[in-house]
Amino acid sequence: MQEALKEKRKEKLSFSAKKISSNLFRAEILVDSSQVKSIYNQTLRVFQRETLLPGFKKESAPIPYIEKNFKNSIENNIKNYLFKHYVLDYLMDNIRKEKITIANYPRLINIKFLPNKQMSFTFDLSVACPLELKEWKFFIFRAPKRKRYKDLDKQVSLFIKRESNIFKNKKAEIVDEGDWVLFEANLVNNKNQIISGPFKSLFWIKINNKYVKKPFQASLVGKKVNESIITNSLPMRNEFSKEQENNNFPYKVTIKKIVKGRSFSLESFKDTFKLKSKIEIHNKLIEVFSYRNDISQRRAIIEEIFHLLLSKHRFEVPKHFSVRRQEDILNYLKKHPDYNVYKQNKDFHKQITMLAEKQLKEEILIDQIAYRENLEINHDDIQNYLYLFNNNRLREFVYFKPILDKIDEVEEPLQTGLLKQYVMREKTLNHVIHELTK
């Protein structure tokens, strides 16, 4: 890796990264002054629209008054908007483009408004050292066998028939409760016209039954691909303010893709696992129906794959990588009702340490294989990945998950940059399994 990566420019954003130490890079995303100015002006109009002053008509509060009295709130909204809509996705895309192997999430350490009217977002990246990958495709791998119960074959046949019929009866072109939706959000002016410039972004959202009565999710139900709605807000938290959120930018939201919920897409399944025949489909599904000692054949295959790969590629992860991952795992477990029972185990902290190191080693290795194989991710890959969350059986095929909490119970739209990172890992793992078992 070079000491400093060449600056990359695209859509008025730029990326650069400098090596601070063997395992630390400092990355900077610069937002062009013209884009900052446009977002600033749009934010002023939002505050003007929502500010009522004695003696002034609605939506006519003086701009100088708004700039003076809402300065911090305006800046926080600009920071939040740019971070959520552009900066984080752009950072993750460039990390993959430059084939940087990160451990844990990028850590935002600073946001600055620069004298030249640009904005700077600075991140610390925990970077793993490059591995000398061996010719893993020639490794000898013996996959764990399935159980030979005939009842399993009947279960799989019934599953395919039942779930395929459910999918056929779905209205694939219309958004319904339980579906995943990929939507594009464009900023619009007070006449609902799209503002010229790079002001569109892409998000996935689950039309979850728990949240379907909320205005934004409800507005998507019944819509078709390429249909649009106008909304005055998106259900997104403001990361930079503890005050009541005032982030009601007006958007034109356009539906780009629909992943039908609670159903099994046979075509998506075939595409995900490179399957060509009914026998291959049947045998692949057997992997999540055949269990031995409470472990599915699918999970046993993955565990054996990583045991093989890591035995051939021995490396250690820096302690600070592990410490941070342990914090993430503990934060997740603390939300579990049995947390107090777990922590009474005398080996609890040892197990957390071992789990953190296991996760990091697997992610570092799989990311470097992805880079070596030049694998890429598109929205079809994400669509195939999300289909696997539709059924408890199919979930067993997913090894790398984007968040520790349940992905389909998140109310906030998911940013595509972080989602792509996990879909890439899952696609790479399936690629490795395919190569070693064909």
Side-chain angles (χ1 to χ4, degrees):
M1 183 67 64
Q2 297 175 348
E3 290 296 312
L5 297 174
K6 185 179 178 182
E7 192 177 79
K8 300 289 180 180
R9 293 189 176 276
K10 182 184 179 183
E11 295 185 350
K12 299 189 177 182
L13 299 176
S14 69
F15 166 83
S16 62
K18 181 186 294 184
K19 187 174 182 180
I20 304 298
S21 67
S22 58
N23 296 118
L24 179 65
F25 276 58
R26 179 135 314 151
E28 183 181 38
I29 306 294
L30 282 178
V31 185
D32 187 81
S33 58
S34 62
Q35 188 172 8
V36 175
K37 182 179 179 181
S38 294
I39 297 299
Y40 181 80
N41 291 335
Q42 183 73 358
T43 306
L44 288 179
R45 285 192 286 272
V46 168
F47 275 79
Q48 187 180 46
R49 186 185 68 207
E50 298 182 356
T51 301
L52 296 176
L53 283 180
F56 290 90
K57 294 181 180 179
K58 186 179 179 181
E59 300 186 19
S60 64
I63 292 297
Y65 172 87
I66 291 171
E67 289 180 301
K68 179 180 178 181
N69 288 274
F70 298 101
K71 182 177 184 295
N72 289 337
S73 294
I74 289 169
E75 289 185 355
N76 284 333
N77 274 269
I78 294 170
K79 290 175 184 178
N80 193 65
Y81 177 83
L82 290 172
F83 179 78
K84 291 286 187 73
H85 287 258
Y86 305 110
V87 170
L88 187 56
D89 283 353
Y90 185 74
L91 172 68
M92 296 304 299
D93 287 344
N94 276 278
I95 285 171
R96 286 186 292 274
K97 188 184 299 181
E98 298 296 340
K99 299 187 176 181
I100 302 171
T101 307
I102 60 170
N104 301 310
Y105 289 123
R107 178 170 282 171
L108 178 65
I109 60 171
N110 196 18
I111 305 175
K112 290 191 297 186
F113 289 84
L114 302 178
N116 61 3
K117 306 301 183 182
Q118 289 182 312
M119 276 186 70
S120 167
F121 291 76
T122 307
F123 299 84
D124 274 351
L125 310 178
S126 297
V127 179
C129 295
L131 300 176
E132 188 177 336
L133 290 178
K134 299 180 180 180
E135 295 299 327
W136 59 269
K137 292 180 183 178
F138 297 102
F139 292 167
I140 296 173
F141 176 71
R142 294 181 177 86
K145 301 297 183 182
R146 57 157 288 188
K147 285 198 169 183
R148 302 309 304 178
Y149 300 146
K150 290 184 179 179
D151 184 56
L152 294 179
D153 295 289
K154 292 179 181 178
Q155 289 180 39
V156 169
S157 297
L158 287 172
F159 177 87
I160 294 173
K161 182 178 180 180
R162 180 182 69 248
E163 297 297 327
S164 295
N165 285 335
I166 291 173
F167 185 81
K168 288 177 184 177
N169 292 327
K170 296 268 186 178
K171 295 180 180 179
E173 72 284 358
I174 297 177
V175 177
D176 200 355
E177 292 182 27
D179 293 350
W180 283 95
V181 176
L182 173 68
F183 67 88
E184 180 182 273
N186 286 271
L187 280 182
V188 295
N189 58 24
N190 56 4
K191 296 181 180 179
N192 293 335
Q193 298 168 330
I194 293 175
I195 298 172
S196 61
F199 300 114
K200 65 180 180 182
S201 45
L202 289 165
F203 298 92
W204 284 93
I205 191 169
K206 179 71 178 286
I207 311 300
N208 194 299
N209 292 354
K210 290 168 63 176
Y211 306 118
V212 74
K213 292 182 180 180
K214 297 201 171 185
F216 179 73
Q217 294 208 20
S219 67
L220 298 179
V221 174
K223 301 296 187 296
K224 299 179 180 179
V225 171
N226 294 326
E227 273 197 76
S228 300
I229 62 168
I230 301 295
T231 180
N232 283 328
S233 65
L234 295 178
M236 302 178 76
R237 297 187 307 274
N238 193 322
E239 302 286 347
F240 308 105
S241 176
K242 295 181 180 179
E243 302 172 4
Q244 181 69 30
E245 183 174 356
N246 186 358
N247 196 22
N248 297 328
F249 292 104
Y251 299 95
K252 180 178 181 180
V253 169
T254 304
I255 295 171
K256 309 304 288 186
K257 272 184 178 294
I258 301 171
V259 173
K260 301 307 295 180
R262 299 190 294 272
S263 61
F264 172 62
S265 169
L266 190 59
E267 290 306 311
S268 170
F269 191 74
K270 288 165 61 178
D271 188 43
T272 299
F273 298 107
K274 303 177 183 178
L275 307 174
K276 297 179 181 178
S277 67
K278 291 182 179 179
I279 293 176
E280 289 182 350
I281 293 168
H282 184 95
N283 290 339
K284 178 57 65 174
L285 282 167
I286 281 287
E287 292 180 11
V288 295
F289 279 80
S290 177
Y291 275 73
R292 182 174 279 105
N293 299 325
D294 293 328
I295 300 295
S296 69
Q297 184 195 10
R298 168 70 178 182
R299 186 53 57 96
I301 289 171
I302 293 172
E303 294 292 343
E304 289 298 319
I305 286 278
F306 276 120
H307 177 75
L308 173 64
L309 293 176
L310 290 170
S311 69
K312 302 291 186 180
H313 302 89
R314 296 188 178 277
F315 64 98
E316 298 298 323
V317 295
K319 186 175 180 179
H320 61 276
F321 288 9
S322 177
V323 169
R324 187 172 168 202
R325 180 59 60 91
Q326 289 172 52
E327 292 173 356
D328 291 339
I329 294 171
L330 284 170
N331 287 335
Y332 168 68
L333 289 177
K334 285 175 182 176
K335 301 174 185 176
H336 198 283
D338 293 327
Y339 171 69
N340 288 325
V341 177
Y342 294 154
K343 73 177 184 179
Q344 296 303 317
N345 188 316
K346 65 178 182 179
D347 294 326
F348 176 69
H349 290 290
K350 181 180 178 181
Q351 291 170 354
I352 296 297
T353 300
M354 291 173 63
L355 176 59
E357 291 179 354
K358 179 179 185 290
Q359 288 181 354
L360 288 165
K361 283 187 175 182
E362 291 172 350
E363 291 170 7
I364 288 167
L365 180 59
I366 213 73
D367 283 354
Q368 296 206 18
I369 291 175
Y371 294 151
R372 167 73 72 84
E373 297 292 300
N374 293 315
L375 297 180
E376 296 182 353
I377 291 297
N378 56 39
H379 289 299
D380 289 336
D381 293 314
I382 298 177
Q383 176 177 281
N384 293 339
Y385 178 81
L386 294 175
Y387 264 122
L388 296 175
F389 287 89
N390 281 345
N391 179 284
N392 286 333
R393 288 286 189 186
L394 298 176
R395 282 172 186 260
E396 189 69 15
F397 282 111
V398 183
Y399 190 70
F400 294 105
K401 296 181 175 66
I403 46 178
L404 289 167
D405 295 313
K406 292 183 179 179
I407 182 176
D408 52 354
E409 292 187 5
V410 177
E411 177 187 3
E412 188 171 343
L414 294 175
Q415 293 158 290
T416 57
L418 290 175
L419 190 54
K420 283 180 183 178
Q421 186 76 8
Y422 287 86
V423 176
M424 172 68 85
R425 288 171 179 163
E426 198 68 29
K427 183 175 181 177
T428 306
L429 176 58
N430 288 329
H431 173 70
V432 171
I433 294 172
H434 178 77
E435 290 293 328
L436 289 177
T437 58
K438 68 182 180 180

